[in-house]
Amino acid sequence: MPTDIIIYHNPECGTSRNALGLIRNAGIEPHVIEYLKTPPARPLLAQLIERAGITPRDLLREKGTPYAELGLGDESLTDEALLDAMMAHPILINRPLVVSQLGVKLCRPSEVVLDMLPSPQQGAFAKEDGERVVDERGQRVV
């Protein structure tokens, strides 16, 4: 049975690169969507948020974004207003967001992606910072 995985990816983000590496370490070549170049349409983004069981605020990224200057910390802002901000400034969308047959998740930390993969890891994997996530047998390091 084919495995279809989508990762909304930012190649400048270490967490996103680590999640992509873990997907590939399971022998899966995902559909990689560089969401800063090709942001999801608003209805799709809203659907992904709903399927992930989170709120638009949960998907907002603060660091390295116009979050503060746009006043997005204001708790009275509606979900619609937050979606508007993410559409206008895709850098506000946190990453990586992964879609698989097992659901949708914001994979922070990157090893959360292991719960999204229908295939086991094929070997050892360490994050870019050297932290071991998967051992030589393909087992998650706890």
Side-chain angles (χ1 to χ4, degrees), residues 7-19:
I7 180 170
Y8 290 89
H9 177 63
N10 178 349
E12 301 299 315
C13 172
T15 301
S16 196
R17 289 191 305 269
N18 287 325

Side-chain angles (χ1 to χ4, degrees), residues 19-40:
L20 179 58
L22 284 162
I23 294 168
R24 288 179 171 155
N25 197 48
I28 300 166
E29 186 53 43
H31 299 280
V32 178
I33 298 173
E34 289 189 32
Y35 72 93
L36 294 177
K37 293 179 182 176
T38 311

Side-chain angles (χ1 to χ4, degrees), residues 1-8 19-20 22-24 26 28 30 48 51-53 96-121 140:
M1 179 163 112
T3 301
D4 202 18
I5 293 185
I6 299 167
I7 180 170
Y8 290 89
L20 179 58
L22 284 162
I23 294 168
R24 288 179 171 155
I28 300 166
L48 291 169
R51 288 179 60 201
L97 199 57
V98 176
V99 181
S100 82
Q101 63 201 41
L102 300 174
V104 178
K105 280 198 184 212
L106 175 60
C107 293
R108 298 190 74 80
S110 56
E111 56 269 28
V112 169
V113 77
L114 294 170
D115 300 330
M116 304 294 298
L117 303 176
S119 304
Q121 294 289 290
R140 191 176 193 159

Side-chain angles (χ1 to χ4, degrees), residues 3 27 29 39 60 63 65 78 86 95 99 110 131:
T3 301
E29 186 53 43
L60 272 178
K63 184 178 170 188
T65 73
T78 65
M86 286 186 263
R95 72 273 179 166
V99 181
S110 56
E131 179 187 348

